[in-house]
Each structure stands twice: as C-alpha cells, then as structure tokens.
C-alpha cells in the first residue's frame, strides 16, 4: 500500500501523525465516546465532534489514520493524563480497550492523578508557583485548590475565570493595571493584548491594598493582611480611573471586565486552543476553522467543562492515532 504525506493542513490538524492512502475512514471503530465522565459510562460509540470534522477531510484526500496499538495508547494517556508511565498491570488491563475506556480509567478511576496533572498545567499557565514573593502562602494554596475544582469537574472554566481575576494571587502576581490587562487577554482571550488594549486593566483599579498591606509585620507581629486587597471603588475609581472602552464595549469594574471577556468568542476559542495545544502539541491549524468552531460549540454546550473537553480530544482518532508510519 503506497503511503503519501497528508496535505499541510491535515498534518497540522493531526499533529503530524502518520497517514496511509486509500482507506475509507468511517465513523465506526474510532474509540469515540459520550461526554459523561461517570465511571462505567461513556464507553459507547456516539460520534466524536473532532472526528466529525477530520474524517470527511481525510476521506476527501484518500487518507486514513491508523489507530495506536493498546500499549502505545495506554502509555500516551498515562503520561498525558496521570503524569507517569503505566504499570505492567495497567498495560495488561488496557489491552484491547477502546480509547474511551482507557480515558475513563485515567480520568475517573485515577482521578486524583488526573487532577494533579491539571493543577500542574494551570501552574505553568498562571505562574502562581512563582508569585509567593508577593502573595501569602495561603493565597497560593487557595488558588491551587480552586484549580483542582476545574479538573475534577465541579467548577467550569467560566466560573474559574470569575474567581481567578479577583483572587489575591492574581492581584498580587499582576500588581499593575497594564499587567492585569495583558494577562487577562493572554489567559482568557487566547492572544496578547495590543498596546492600546493594556488599558483594559484599569477596571481592576477599584481594588486597593489593605491598610498596612505592604508591611509583613505590624506591631512586631506577622501582618495577617499582608498583600491583601479591598474592593473600594470610591477610592480606586475616583475621577473615572476605572473606566475604559475595550473590544467595542465600555466598563468600569472587574465585573464589567468579566462580562466583556466571557461574552467574547475569543473566550471560547482561547480555552479550546489552550487545551488542544496541551494534548496535541500545537494549536489547531488555521486551515481547519470548522474544527475550532465545533469545539467552541462543544464547550458552550457542556458548560465550559475542562474535563469533558479533554476527554473529547483524547478519545478522538486524531489523538489516538499511532506514531508509526508504514
């Protein structure tokens, strides 16, 4: 069977996975799954939104994806979802299992490990492990514990964004208006802020440092309010110091900033691209706008659940393909 390389769009879409010619890749046998993360469910073949896009693209180019052997897929999911190599018993247990069943094991049965990997991913994104020079340790712990709720499925990405931008960790890690504006774009809108957009951060000016908040000790004792902030718009927003127009809308508070952020399509795309890059190694190709749109629709339909988005990606044929090319 003669093998040819996929077009550049398909190679990027599939993470440069090996493709073979003359196959008719149908919807069956791809290890697709439902979105429910409860143990014992989600192991049926119900159609994966990623495969619904890439299968016709591959068929149109007379290409197909070769599914990874059990050992290869088990190793990949163990590393990506649990942060470790699989045990010998796990290799044996997963032999012959569908991608959906392997994902259920590492995301549900081994949920503690999956959540810890998610926290590590967030610490790399938000850099909260480097902010202790400003924050108290309890602020870092609180942010990390809240990140765990995103990965165990009890908090949505949208709810987390509402928490994050008001948290002591955020306010200390990014102490200036420009910092806060830049990072709000980077983390939640998926792109760098243009120069004029950095003023977005003035909507955070209503947060003012607590009295004596810059002092580690007060009266010879540790200051319990060291680097904590109070919301006091009467002081921080005097003379319209919090008002700015951004993305075609005007706001003057963090709640306004959240309304603008969460109401933008960039918010949905930013989540999709960050998680896709984490598990597929790079952003979705610009030649595949339909895939981005379908996954944006998916996150909205699933209440911005990060675990459900992860599961949709790792049970797709794009992720579950072999690295081997023949």
């Amino acid at each position: 069977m003669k093998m040819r390389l996929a077009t550049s769009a398909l190679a990027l879409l599939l993470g440069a996975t090996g493709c073979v010619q003359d196959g008719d890749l149908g919807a069956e046998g791809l290890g697709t799954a439902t979105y429910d993360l409860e143990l014992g469910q989600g192991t049926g073949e119900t159609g994966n939104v990623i495969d619904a896009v890439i299968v016709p693209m591959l068929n149109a180019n007379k290409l197909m994806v070769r599914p990874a052997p059990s050992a290869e897929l088990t190793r990949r999911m163990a590393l990506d979802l649990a942060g470790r190599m699989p045990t010998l018993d796990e290799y044996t247990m997963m032999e012959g299992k569908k991608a959906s069943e392997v994902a259920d094991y590492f995301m549900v049965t081994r949920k503690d490990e999956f959540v810890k990997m998610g926290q590590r991913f967030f610490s790399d994104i938000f850099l909260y492990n480097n902010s202790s020079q400003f924050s108290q340790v309890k602020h870092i712990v609180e942010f990390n514990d809240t990140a765990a709720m995103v990965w165990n499925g009890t908090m949505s990405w949208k709810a987390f964004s509402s928490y994050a931008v008001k948290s002591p960790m955020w306010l200390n890690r990014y102490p200036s208006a420009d910092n806060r504006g830049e990072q709000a774009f980077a983390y939640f809108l998926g792109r760098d802020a243009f120069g004029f957009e950095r003023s977005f951060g003035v909507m955070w000016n209503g947060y003012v440092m607590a009295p004596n908040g810059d002092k580690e000790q007060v009266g010879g004792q540790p200051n319990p309010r060291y680097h904590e902030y109070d919301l006091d718009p009467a002081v921080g927003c005097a003379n319209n110091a919090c008002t700015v127009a951004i993305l075609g809308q005007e706001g003057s508070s963090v709640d306004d900033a959240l309304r603008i952020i969460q109401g933008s399509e960039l918010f949905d795309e930013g989540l999709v691209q960050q998680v896709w890059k984490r598990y597929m190694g790079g952003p979705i190709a610009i030649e595949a706008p339909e895939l981005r749109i379908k996954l944006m629709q998916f996150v909205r339909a699933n209440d911005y659940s990060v675990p459900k988005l992860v599961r949709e990606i790792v049970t797709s044929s794009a992720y579950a393909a072999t690295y081997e090319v023949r």
Side-chain angles (χ1 to χ4, degrees):
M1 181 178 291
K2 184 179 178 182
M3 190 277 290
R4 68 179 175 84
L5 291 178
T7 63
S8 60
L10 290 174
L12 284 169
L13 178 65
L14 297 177
T17 302
C19 299
V20 295
Q21 190 178 13
D22 299 327
D24 182 17
L25 187 60
E28 297 181 4
L30 293 176
T32 56
T34 61
Y35 313 142
D36 197 324
L37 288 176
E38 293 299 318
L39 183 62
Q41 300 181 27
T43 56
E45 308 295 340
T46 63
N48 179 286
V49 298
I50 299 167
D51 290 335
V53 175
I54 68 170
V55 167
M57 293 176 68
L58 291 168
N59 283 338
N61 287 270
K62 299 184 181 300
L63 297 165
M64 68 175 293
V65 177
R66 295 179 60 247
S70 292
E72 181 182 333
L73 183 61
T74 299
R75 181 173 63 251
R76 185 180 306 161
M77 286 202 186
L79 289 168
D80 283 349
L81 302 175
R84 59 172 175 79
M85 288 291 289
T87 65
L88 291 177
D89 286 345
E90 286 170 339
Y91 274 123
T92 301
M93 188 189 316
M94 295 298 116
E95 182 66 32
K97 299 292 187 182
K98 295 181 293 186
S100 56
E101 295 173 296
V102 183
D104 277 343
Y105 175 78
F106 286 111
M107 294 182 67
V108 182
T109 305
R110 309 295 302 184
K111 181 180 283 189
D112 287 351
E113 292 177 313
F114 172 67
V115 170
K116 184 172 291 187
M117 279 298 293
Q119 289 173 295
R120 290 175 182 170
F121 176 42
F122 271 22
S123 72
D124 288 339
I125 293 175
F126 290 96
L127 301 177
Y128 56 81
N129 54 332
N130 293 333
S131 61
S132 57
Q133 68 267 34
F134 297 118
S135 294
Q136 298 182 49
V137 172
K138 67 179 182 181
H139 299 154
I140 308 300
V141 172
E142 176 193 279
F143 197 92
N144 193 51
D145 288 347
T146 307
M149 296 172 65
V150 177
W151 290 88
N152 68 24
T154 59
M155 176 179 278
S156 71
W157 174 247
K158 181 174 282 189
F160 181 77
S161 68
S162 296
Y163 158 79
V165 300
K166 299 178 181 180
S167 69
M169 190 291 296
W170 173 280
L171 297 172
N172 283 302
R173 184 69 180 82
Y174 307 107
S176 73
D178 277 0
N179 288 159
R180 292 166 184 171
E182 288 172 346
Q183 299 310 318
F185 266 84
Y187 295 153
F188 300 114
L189 297 178
R191 68 168 174 81
D192 293 334
F194 298 123
F196 68 92
E197 291 174 330
R198 294 174 182 172
S199 62
F200 184 44
V202 303
M203 294 190 200
W204 277 261
N205 284 351
Y207 283 95
V208 297
M209 189 168 288
N212 296 316
D214 59 337
K215 297 180 173 61
E216 289 191 60
Q217 292 193 342
V218 176
Q221 299 295 320
N223 181 7
R225 302 219 60 200
Y226 177 60
H227 272 274
E228 291 193 350
Y229 287 78
D230 295 321
L231 182 59
D232 191 351
V235 174
C237 296
N239 300 316
N240 293 321
C242 298
T243 302
V244 68
I246 204 78
L247 298 179
Q249 300 183 63
E250 185 175 283
S252 58
S253 68
V254 176
D255 287 336
D256 287 339
L258 285 166
R259 169 179 53 79
I260 294 169
I261 289 171
Q262 296 171 353
S264 171
E265 286 192 351
L266 292 173
F267 180 73
D268 304 343
E269 184 175 359
L271 172 60
V272 166
Q273 290 283 24
Q274 284 202 75
V275 177
W276 179 273
K277 185 177 180 179
R278 166 69 180 83
Y279 292 98
M280 297 297 292
I284 298 173
I286 59 173
E287 296 90 343
E290 184 182 357
L291 179 56
R292 292 198 303 276
I293 292 169
K294 289 291 186 183
L295 285 173
M296 288 162 63
Q297 293 171 341
F298 176 87
V299 297
R300 287 194 291 267
N302 287 276
D303 194 27
Y304 296 86
S305 168
V306 170
K308 289 182 180 181
L309 177 58
V310 171
R311 194 176 189 285
E312 195 70 4
I313 292 171
V314 302
T315 57
S316 71
S317 59
Y319 177 90
T322 184
Y323 288 126
E324 183 181 358
V325 180
R326 288 181 181 175

